[in-house]
Amino acid sequence: QSALLFRRILGMARRSNFFKKKSSNLSIPLQVNQLRSRFPDSKISFTSKTLQWTGQLQPTPLSRKYTIKISYTLGSRPTVVVLEPKLESRPGENLPHVFTGDNLCLFEKLYVEWSGAMLIAESIVPWSSAWLAYYEIWRATGFWSGSKASHPIGGSPKSGQQ
Protein backbone atom coordinates (compact mmCIF):
# COMPACT_ATOMS: atom_id res chain seq x y z
CA GLN A 1 0.00 0.00 0.00
CA SER A 2 2.85 2.40 0.75
CA ALA A 3 4.33 1.62 -2.70
CA LEU A 4 1.03 2.63 -4.32
CA LEU A 5 0.95 5.86 -2.30
CA PHE A 6 4.56 6.59 -3.29
CA ARG A 7 3.74 6.06 -6.99
CA ARG A 8 0.76 8.41 -6.75
CA ILE A 9 2.85 11.11 -5.09
CA LEU A 10 5.61 10.62 -7.67
CA GLY A 11 3.05 10.88 -10.49
CA MET A 12 1.67 14.13 -9.04
CA ALA A 13 5.19 15.55 -8.74
CA ARG A 14 5.96 14.70 -12.35
CA ARG A 15 2.75 16.28 -13.60
CA SER A 16 3.43 19.43 -11.58
CA ASN A 17 6.90 19.90 -13.16
CA PHE A 18 8.50 19.29 -9.77
CA PHE A 19 11.43 17.49 -11.40
CA LYS A 20 11.97 19.91 -14.27
CA LYS A 21 15.04 22.10 -14.03
CA LYS A 22 13.90 25.61 -13.26
CA SER A 23 15.55 28.36 -15.24
CA SER A 24 16.59 31.32 -13.16
CA ASN A 25 17.19 34.00 -15.75
CA LEU A 26 18.85 37.12 -14.43
CA SER A 27 16.73 40.20 -14.91
CA ILE A 28 17.35 42.64 -17.74
CA PRO A 29 17.97 45.53 -15.28
CA LEU A 30 20.68 43.45 -13.56
CA GLN A 31 22.30 42.60 -16.92
CA VAL A 32 22.15 46.27 -17.95
CA ASN A 33 23.66 47.42 -14.64
CA GLN A 34 26.58 45.01 -14.97
CA LEU A 35 27.25 45.94 -18.59
CA ARG A 36 27.11 49.69 -17.78
CA SER A 37 29.42 49.39 -14.78
CA ARG A 38 32.05 47.40 -16.70
CA PHE A 39 31.73 49.20 -20.04
CA PRO A 40 30.75 52.81 -19.26
CA ASP A 41 31.41 54.04 -22.82
CA SER A 42 29.04 51.53 -24.39
CA LYS A 43 25.46 52.14 -25.52
CA ILE A 44 22.51 50.20 -24.11
CA SER A 45 18.84 50.20 -24.92
CA PHE A 46 16.45 47.90 -23.10
CA THR A 47 12.91 47.01 -22.10
CA SER A 48 11.79 44.71 -19.30
CA LYS A 49 12.48 41.67 -21.51
CA THR A 50 15.11 42.72 -24.05
CA LEU A 51 18.44 44.50 -24.26
CA GLN A 52 20.78 45.67 -26.98
CA TRP A 53 24.35 46.49 -26.04
CA THR A 54 26.82 48.12 -28.42
CA GLY A 55 30.42 48.48 -27.39
CA GLN A 56 34.02 48.24 -28.50
CA LEU A 57 36.33 45.31 -27.88
CA GLN A 58 40.04 45.00 -28.50
CA PRO A 59 40.99 41.34 -28.03
CA THR A 60 44.74 41.99 -27.60
CA PRO A 61 46.88 45.13 -27.33
CA LEU A 62 47.97 44.55 -30.95
CA SER A 63 44.42 44.01 -32.21
CA ARG A 64 42.23 46.52 -33.93
CA LYS A 65 39.10 47.71 -32.16
CA TYR A 66 35.81 46.04 -33.04
CA THR A 67 32.33 47.44 -32.48
CA ILE A 68 29.93 44.67 -31.57
CA LYS A 69 26.22 44.50 -30.83
CA ILE A 70 24.73 42.00 -28.41
CA SER A 71 20.98 41.45 -28.62
CA TYR A 72 19.28 39.51 -25.85
CA THR A 73 15.69 38.58 -25.11
CA LEU A 74 14.96 37.08 -21.72
CA GLY A 75 14.76 33.30 -22.10
CA SER A 76 16.67 33.21 -25.41
CA ARG A 77 20.31 32.95 -26.30
CA PRO A 78 22.12 36.23 -26.94
CA THR A 79 23.19 37.02 -30.48
CA VAL A 80 26.40 38.86 -31.25
CA VAL A 81 27.22 40.69 -34.48
CA VAL A 82 30.37 42.61 -35.36
CA LEU A 83 29.28 45.99 -36.73
CA GLU A 84 32.73 47.41 -37.57
CA PRO A 85 35.00 46.54 -39.18
CA LYS A 86 33.21 44.12 -41.47
CA LEU A 87 34.36 40.54 -40.92
CA GLU A 88 36.16 39.15 -43.97
CA SER A 89 36.78 35.60 -45.09
CA ARG A 90 40.03 34.20 -46.32
CA PRO A 91 40.14 33.65 -50.11
CA GLY A 92 38.07 30.59 -51.00
CA GLU A 93 36.90 29.97 -47.42
CA ASN A 94 33.76 30.67 -45.46
CA LEU A 95 33.88 32.66 -42.26
CA PRO A 96 34.25 30.05 -39.48
CA HIS A 97 32.03 29.70 -36.43
CA VAL A 98 29.24 32.04 -37.44
CA PHE A 99 25.51 31.59 -37.86
CA THR A 100 23.28 33.22 -40.47
CA GLY A 101 23.79 36.97 -40.57
CA ASP A 102 27.36 36.56 -39.27
CA ASN A 103 26.11 36.05 -35.70
CA LEU A 104 29.14 34.78 -33.79
CA CYS A 105 29.12 31.16 -32.60
CA LEU A 106 30.40 31.59 -29.05
CA PHE A 107 29.31 28.47 -27.22
CA GLU A 108 27.92 24.99 -27.69
CA LYS A 109 24.24 24.88 -26.76
CA LEU A 110 24.42 21.08 -26.43
CA TYR A 111 26.80 21.40 -23.47
CA VAL A 112 24.74 24.17 -21.81
CA GLU A 113 27.76 26.46 -21.70
CA TRP A 114 25.55 29.52 -21.35
CA SER A 115 22.31 30.09 -19.50
CA GLY A 116 20.20 33.10 -18.60
CA ALA A 117 21.52 32.76 -15.05
CA MET A 118 24.91 34.04 -16.26
CA LEU A 119 25.95 37.66 -16.56
CA ILE A 120 26.41 38.72 -20.17
CA ALA A 121 29.24 41.02 -19.04
CA GLU A 122 31.12 38.00 -17.61
CA SER A 123 30.38 35.50 -20.36
CA ILE A 124 29.17 36.73 -23.75
CA VAL A 125 31.37 39.86 -23.84
CA PRO A 126 34.66 38.10 -22.98
CA TRP A 127 33.73 35.15 -25.21
CA SER A 128 33.16 37.63 -28.04
CA SER A 129 36.60 39.09 -27.43
CA ALA A 130 38.14 35.61 -27.51
CA TRP A 131 36.26 34.85 -30.74
CA LEU A 132 37.70 38.01 -32.27
CA ALA A 133 41.23 36.95 -31.25
CA TYR A 134 40.65 33.54 -32.89
CA TYR A 135 39.32 35.34 -35.96
CA GLU A 136 42.50 37.44 -36.24
CA ILE A 137 44.69 34.34 -35.94
CA TRP A 138 42.57 32.54 -38.54
CA ARG A 139 42.80 35.50 -40.96
CA ALA A 140 46.59 35.48 -40.64
CA THR A 141 47.24 31.72 -40.62
CA GLY A 142 44.15 29.83 -41.79
CA PHE A 143 44.03 27.99 -38.45
CA TRP A 144 40.99 28.39 -36.16
CA SER A 145 42.32 28.37 -32.58
CA GLY A 146 38.88 28.26 -30.96
CA SER A 147 36.48 25.40 -30.48
CA LYS A 148 36.46 22.73 -33.14
CA ALA A 149 32.82 21.89 -32.35
CA SER A 150 30.70 21.65 -35.43
CA HIS A 151 27.39 23.41 -35.87
CA PRO A 152 24.94 23.78 -38.72
CA ILE A 153 26.71 25.68 -41.49
CA GLY A 154 24.99 29.03 -41.72
CA GLY A 155 22.26 27.80 -39.38
CA SER A 156 20.76 30.47 -37.25
CA PRO A 157 20.28 30.19 -33.51
CA LYS A 158 16.75 29.08 -32.75
CA SER A 159 14.84 31.95 -31.24
CA GLY A 160 13.47 31.29 -27.79
CA GLN A 161 16.23 28.81 -26.97
CA GLN A 162 19.44 29.13 -25.05
Side-chain angles (χ1 to χ4, degrees):
Q1 199 170 39
S2 64
L4 180 60
L5 178 61
F6 177 74
R7 276 188 266 167
R8 282 187 175 163
I9 292 170
L10 188 59
M12 288 188 307
R14 284 187 181 138
R15 284 189 298 280
S16 70
N17 295 328
F18 179 79
F19 290 107
K20 288 192 177 173
K21 185 178 174 185
K22 300 208 176 6
S23 174
S24 56
N25 291 322
L26 299 178
S27 71
I28 294 296
L30 177 61
Q31 295 282 13
V32 168
N33 181 45
Q34 290 298 309
L35 286 163
R36 273 194 181 140
S37 68
R38 294 162 198 236
F39 305 97
D41 295 332
S42 64
K43 295 179 182 167
I44 302 178
S45 62
F46 64 97
T47 68
S48 63
K49 296 190 187 273
T50 65
L51 76 78
Q52 287 197 345
W53 178 85
T54 304
Q56 284 199 328
L57 298 178
Q58 185 177 13
T60 72
L62 298 176
S63 297
R64 63 192 315 175
K65 289 184 179 178
Y66 295 87
T67 302
I68 69 163
K69 179 171 85 172
I70 298 173
S71 300
Y72 174 60
T73 299
L74 210 55
S76 298
R77 68 190 285 168
T79 59
V80 182
V81 176
V82 177
L83 301 176
E84 292 178 351
K86 183 179 176 353
L87 296 176
E88 297 176 3
S89 296
R90 290 174 50 85
E93 296 184 44
N94 291 325
L95 199 57
H97 290 273
V98 294
F99 294 106
T100 302
D102 290 345
N103 287 303
L104 307 188
C105 177
L106 300 176
F107 58 91
E108 177 59 56
K109 179 182 175 244
L110 177 67
Y111 301 124
V112 193
E113 294 174 327
W114 190 86
S115 80
M118 298 170 73
L119 289 170
I120 291 170
E122 292 180 354
S123 56
I124 301 300
V125 174
W127 295 349
S128 297
S129 187
W131 190 99
L132 291 166
Y134 301 146
Y135 165 76
E136 290 180 344
I137 293 166
W138 172 77
R139 285 277 296 150
T141 68
F143 177 76
W144 184 260
S145 301
S147 170
K148 306 297 185 269
S150 62
H151 57 82
I153 296 172
S156 76
K158 304 276 188 227
S159 73
Q161 294 183 356
Q162 297 183 58

